[in-house]
């Protein structure tokens, strides 16, 4: 008991000195200085800041925005569907399907997206018509618009990545889950839909969200085939008034808006499918 | 005809033969406990009865239906996975690791089969599921997710999930082996009451006490073959075969 009281006394006498963090203050100050410097440089730069809001809401810019969104959503949506199919082939018992999936992923993941877009866009050079004998035939240059070429280039490349993401997700679900589903008489389709996919979502959603954000930015590659997405729209505007930086900044602002919205959406999706 | 008839069931994984010709009959309302050392093939046999594994030779009938086959024109046709799923509706299975669906509540786990597989209305299924939860003593846990339940509670929900399909036969694969000792009793109690209600059960277990008090018959399996079978009193208290004696000496 006596020793107890003594420890108590000793502790009470001592003054506590909180740990000081001088480097936090110093590094913080450096960062603030750098940002202030950049801000000052921007205000000094020869940029007509007052013109940027006008370009931001310019009808051509808004058209580019709409096209960007449609292209990104369509390419990602198609890629998700294709990715699930290819992932299921990759995991299937049929060796032909498995090898097809491996080859598919190898090809569409292996080539640069820009190259794929250019190949699709120029398909008419080598195939005059796209046809299935006795079923239909259409001239290639009618079908292969800039939008379709960009959709194929972006979507097929992304579908190869989605196939790998979905496969990882499906494989992450414990075998016992499938067994339990079978044991209550579930068919393979119902098992996939009700048991495996919902649990795989936890693994699938985060990288898919990241990929979609990349997809939004990737649509800019469609500008090389004169598809009016944001960058091509910005170029259209600046080719008339030569305010190149101002229009690019307006486009940049739209990208940041889209990416921010996508990030928020991803956050809520992750919460909905997250661990309980 | 017995509810389950297995004749000459053989099963190999690669080059190792795991089941070497199993014969077993289970009458309606009978409780059979499968005993034997680890690796004897007990789980594999149960999985064959539910067609989670296909057998290489022999035949299993459940309620007169050949498991994994459809008979037509005097021939047996192998079932597609869809048709096999239909056959499994009549057989419930309880796993060592529970295997509840973690993204659904206890109630939803139980409703999943009747609603998704049998296509029955949610309202009546819900009422039945709640009654089943009551029966396994978990009425107040309807809204809980599996992660919020103890092992014993999860296993009782798993039993209720199997019962929701109104199976003719229940298979238990070491249902208490993954449980903390103090939780074993609550699961065995549910199984005991199920047996008393006349359910036909095949139970793989190391709980000799349960086998002694509940089983109508005990089957002792070693290295993929039945070495001894009989009433609990015969096999457990007066084993004839040296392999049975050795095993019981270790377990008891
Ligand atoms: N899917 C499988 N692939 C290969 N071997 C397996 C598989 N399942 C079980 N086995 C083997 O079969 C034997 C019997 O296993 P099991 O039926 O689980 O025995 P028990 O349930 O009696 O312990 C073991 O040697 C095990 O390693
Ligand atoms: Mg086992």
């Amino acid at each position: 008991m006596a020793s107890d009281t003594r420890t108590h006394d000793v502790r009470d006498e001592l003054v506590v000195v909180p740990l000081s963090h001088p480097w936090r203050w110093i590094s913080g100050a450096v960062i603030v200085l750098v940002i202030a410097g950049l801000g000052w440089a921007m205000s000094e730069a020869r940029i007509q800041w007052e013109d940027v809001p006008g370009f931001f809401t310019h009808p051509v810019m808004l058209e580019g925005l709409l096209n960007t969104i449609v292209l990104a959503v369509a390419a990602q949506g198609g890629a998700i569907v294709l990715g699930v199919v290819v992932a299921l082939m990759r995991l299937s018992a049929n060796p032909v399907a498995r090898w097809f999936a491996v080859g598919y992923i190898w090809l569409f993941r292996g080539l640069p997206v820009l190259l794929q877009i250019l190949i699709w866009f120029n398909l008419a050079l080598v195939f005059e018509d796209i046809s299935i004998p006795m079923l239909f035939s259409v001239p290639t240059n009618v079908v292969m618009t800039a939008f379709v070429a960009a959709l194929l280039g972006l979507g097929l490349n992304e579908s190869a990545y989605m196939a790998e993401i979905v496969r990882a997700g499906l494989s992450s679900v414990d075998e016992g889950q499938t067994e339990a589903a079978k044991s209550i008489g579930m068919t393979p389709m119902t098992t996939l839909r009700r048991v495996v996919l919902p649990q795989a979502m936890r693994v699938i959603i985060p990288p898919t969200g990241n990929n979609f954000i990349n997809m939004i930015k990737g649509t800019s590659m469609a500008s090389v085939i004169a598809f009016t997405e944001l960058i091509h729209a910005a170029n259209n505007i600046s080719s008339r008034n030569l305010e190149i930086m101002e229009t690019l900044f307006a486009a940049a602002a739209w990208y940041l808006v889209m990416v921010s919205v996508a990030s928020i959406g991803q956050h809520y999706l992750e919460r909905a499918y997250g661990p309980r | 005809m017995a509810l389950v008839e297995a004749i000459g069931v053989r099963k190999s994984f690669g080059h190792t033969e795991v089941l070497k010709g199993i014969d077993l009959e289970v009458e309606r309302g009978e409780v059979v406990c499968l005993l034997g050392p680890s690796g004897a093939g007990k789980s594999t046999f149960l999985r064959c009865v539910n067609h989670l594994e296909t057998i290489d030779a022999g035949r299993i009938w459940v309620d007169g239906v050949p498991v994994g086959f459809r008979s037509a024109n005097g021939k047996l046709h192998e079932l597609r996975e869809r048709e096999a799923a239909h056959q499994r509706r009549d057989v419930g299975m309880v796993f060592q690791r529970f295997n509840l669906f973690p993204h659904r509540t206890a109630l939803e786990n139980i409703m999943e089969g009747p609603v998704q597989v049998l296509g029955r209305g949610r309202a009546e299924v819900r009422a039945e599921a709640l009654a089943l939860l009551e029966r396994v003593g978990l009425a107040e846990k309807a809204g809980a997710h599996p992660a919020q339940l103890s092992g014993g509670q999860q296993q009782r929900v798993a039993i209720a999930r199997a019962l929701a399909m109104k199976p003719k036969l229940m298979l238990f694969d070491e249902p208490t082996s993954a449980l903390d000792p103090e939780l074993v009793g609550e699961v065995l109690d549910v199984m005991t009451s199920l047996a008393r209600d006349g359910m036909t059960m095949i139970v793989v277990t190391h709980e000799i006490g349960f086998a002694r008090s509940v089983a109508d018959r005990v089957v002792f399996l070693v290295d993929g073959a039945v070495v001894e079978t009989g009433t609990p009193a015969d096999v457990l208290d007066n084993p004839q075969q040296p392999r049975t004696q050795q095993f019981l000496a270790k377990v008891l």
Side-chain angles (χ1 to χ4, degrees):
Chain A
M1 284 303 123
S3 67
D4 266 358
T5 19
R6 207 172 55 229
T7 352
H8 218 89
D9 287 345
V10 169
R11 239 189 244 162
D12 282 349
E13 281 163 20
L14 293 176
V15 177
V16 175
V17 181
L19 190 58
S20 69
H21 298 282
W23 283 108
R24 282 192 197 167
W25 289 100
I26 294 169
S27 57
V30 169
I31 291 168
V32 169
L33 268 177
V34 168
I35 291 174
L38 284 173
W40 177 80
M42 281 298 195
S43 68
E44 288 296 291
R46 278 180 282 121
I47 295 173
Q48 313 289 325
W49 288 107
E50 63 278 8
D51 291 349
V52 174
F55 294 140
F56 189 70
T57 53
H58 192 289
V60 175
M61 189 68 81
L62 294 181
E63 186 199 343
L65 173 70
L66 181 66
N67 285 338
T68 293
I69 293 172
V70 170
L71 179 57
V73 170
Q76 189 69 42
I80 290 172
V81 174
L82 273 178
V84 171
V85 173
V86 175
L88 290 175
M89 294 175 90
R90 181 80 177 73
L91 295 170
S92 104
N94 180 344
V96 180
R98 274 204 309 271
W99 281 109
F100 174 83
V102 170
Y104 180 99
I105 294 166
W106 172 78
L107 181 67
F108 288 113
R109 198 172 60 174
L111 295 174
V113 180
L114 186 55
L115 179 73
Q116 295 189 47
I117 292 176
L118 288 172
I119 288 177
W120 287 115
F121 191 58
N122 291 298
L123 206 63
L125 296 178
V126 288
F127 296 113
E128 226 166 85
D129 301 298
I130 296 175
S131 64
I132 294 179
M134 319 236 272
L135 275 181
F136 74 93
S137 172
V138 283
T140 304
N141 56 16
V142 171
V143 181
M144 202 51 74
T145 60
F147 175 77
V148 172
L151 182 66
L152 287 171
L154 288 162
L156 290 175
N157 173 257
E158 175 62 15
S159 72
Y161 283 97
M162 282 311 305
E164 291 292 81
I165 292 170
V166 172
R167 179 172 71 100
L170 295 177
S171 309
S172 76
V173 179
D174 186 66
E175 191 67 31
Q177 291 292 306
T178 315
E179 303 240 302
K182 278 185 176 179
S183 79
I184 55 171
M186 274 196 191
T187 59
M189 250 338 265
T190 313
T191 304
L192 184 69
R193 191 171 52 83
R194 297 286 304 176
V195 177
V196 178
L197 268 183
Q199 295 184 64
M201 283 303 179
R202 242 169 354 113
V203 175
I204 292 175
I205 284 176
T208 303
N210 287 334
N211 280 18
F212 180 56
I213 286 168
N214 271 329
M215 175 65 80
I216 291 172
K217 295 175 291 177
T219 54
S220 60
M221 276 180 280
S223 61
V224 300
I225 53 172
F227 177 67
T228 308
E229 44 64 64
L230 274 173
I231 299 215
H232 195 253
N235 288 342
N236 280 349
I237 299 171
S238 61
S239 65
R240 274 169 258 162
N241 57 26
L242 301 181
E243 289 192 67
I244 293 173
M245 270 305 209
E246 289 77 358
T247 50
L248 286 180
F249 277 15
W254 273 123
Y255 279 112
L256 291 178
V257 169
M258 286 188 292
V259 168
S260 305
V261 170
S263 305
I264 293 167
Q266 179 181 19
H267 172 77
Y268 282 104
L269 269 178
E270 272 179 39
R271 236 185 20 192
Y273 283 98
R276 286 168 215 274
Chain B
M1 196 182 191
L3 183 68
V4 181
E5 283 192 35
I7 297 176
V9 174
R10 290 179 179 273
K11 172 74 187 172
S12 300
F13 292 111
H15 293 297
T16 34
E17 189 165 48
V18 173
L19 301 179
K20 299 170 180 164
I22 306 266
D23 299 320
L24 181 71
E25 284 193 6
V26 182
E27 299 295 335
R28 275 163 222 281
E30 198 181 15
V31 176
V32 171
C33 278
L34 269 181
L35 265 51
S38 173
K42 308 181 295 294
S43 300
T44 306
F45 179 72
L46 276 198
R47 294 165 55 77
C48 290
V49 172
N50 206 9
H51 195 37
L52 290 174
E53 304 281 0
T54 46
I55 59 183
D56 301 329
R59 199 75 68 223
I60 304 175
W61 286 268
V62 173
D63 203 13
V65 178
V67 172
F69 295 94
R70 174 170 40 84
S71 54
N73 313 326
K75 286 185 185 148
L76 289 181
H77 300 264
E78 254 183 71
L79 292 186
R80 297 183 181 290
E81 190 46 44
R82 281 188 65 83
E83 302 167 306
H86 200 277
Q87 245 183 17
R88 289 192 196 101
R89 294 176 179 188
D90 290 341
V91 180
M93 186 149 187
V94 175
F95 303 87
Q96 185 175 347
R97 307 256 5 139
F98 329 136
N99 296 346
L100 288 178
F101 305 133
H103 54 305
R104 305 196 189 284
T105 64
L107 187 68
E108 289 166 346
N109 264 276
I110 299 170
M111 292 174 63
E112 193 67 8
V115 173
Q116 297 297 327
V117 177
L118 303 178
R120 296 176 49 201
R122 294 192 73 86
E124 62 166 356
V125 168
R126 192 186 150 84
E128 282 182 20
L130 285 168
L132 280 168
L133 272 175
E134 181 93 49
R135 181 167 171 192
V136 298
L138 291 170
E140 77 286 5
K141 295 292 185 187
H145 279 92
Q148 298 163 322
L149 299 173
S150 73
Q153 292 170 333
Q154 289 187 57
Q155 194 61 299
R156 286 187 279 156
V157 173
I159 293 172
R161 174 177 67 180
L163 291 177
M165 295 298 289
K166 303 190 173 132
K168 297 171 183 165
L169 168 71
M170 285 283 284
L171 308 172
F172 295 83
D173 191 359
E174 301 198 32
T176 58
S177 295
L179 297 178
D180 292 335
E182 76 269 24
L183 302 177
V184 167
E186 63 192 55
V187 173
L188 293 182
D189 286 347
V190 169
M191 291 167 59
T192 305
S193 88
L194 200 55
R196 300 265 180 273
D197 291 347
M199 177 61 78
T200 312
M201 299 164 46
I202 306 179
V203 184
V204 173
T205 185
H206 294 300
E207 297 292 332
I208 303 298
F210 174 82
R212 195 191 304 280
S213 61
V214 179
D216 299 302
R217 201 146 48 89
V218 171
V219 173
F220 189 70
L221 209 68
V222 179
D223 285 341
V226 174
V227 294
E228 194 158 357
T229 174
T231 63
D234 288 343
V235 177
L236 298 176
D237 299 331
N238 191 16
Q240 301 301 310
Q241 301 294 325
R243 298 299 301 264
T244 320
Q245 289 161 359
Q246 283 166 19
F247 177 77
L248 289 173
K250 267 187 239 152
V251 181
L252 286 174

